[in-house]
Amino acid sequence: MPPRQPRDDRSATRLRQFGARVRELRTQRGRSQEQFAHDCGFHRTYVGSIERGEVNPSVLNAYRLADALEVSVADLFA
């Protein structure tokens, strides 16, 4: 994984909000982080990093998250 870039406060806040939304949708569906990661084709630690707002997932990975949650990509940003 490439080294993490420093982020400004607004970017960091947005990543945390996105991650919190992913976690909210995942837990609403009663899925463990491990099962959800498997369904997305990701490693569990990557999903954890997304949910904590530590990484900035690509657009394609956002679609994989949405598909596994059976929601639109727009719902991840709601």
Side-chain angles (χ1 to χ4, degrees):
M1 184 185 295
R4 293 189 173 130
Q5 298 290 323
R7 293 190 173 85
D8 60 46
D9 289 339
R10 188 176 359 163
S11 295
T13 298
R14 288 176 175 166
L15 288 174
R16 283 191 303 271
Q17 289 171 336
F18 179 83
R21 179 66 175 156
V22 170
R23 178 179 284 139
E24 174 187 16
L25 293 169
R26 174 182 62 77
T27 58
Q28 281 177 358
R29 284 153 179 74
R31 292 165 62 198
S32 70
Q33 200 176 69
E34 187 172 0
Q35 181 59 50
F36 177 59
H38 180 268
D39 294 344
C40 294
F42 298 144
H43 193 277
R44 181 194 52 78
T45 59
Y46 181 61
V47 170
S49 294
I50 292 170
E51 291 184 352
R52 289 187 303 276
E54 296 174 348
V55 296
N56 185 4
S58 70
V59 171
L60 294 177
N61 285 348
Y63 274 94
R64 289 170 72 176
L65 294 165
D67 289 346
L69 291 166
E70 298 178 346
V71 299
S72 71
V73 172
D75 288 334
L76 296 178
F77 295 93

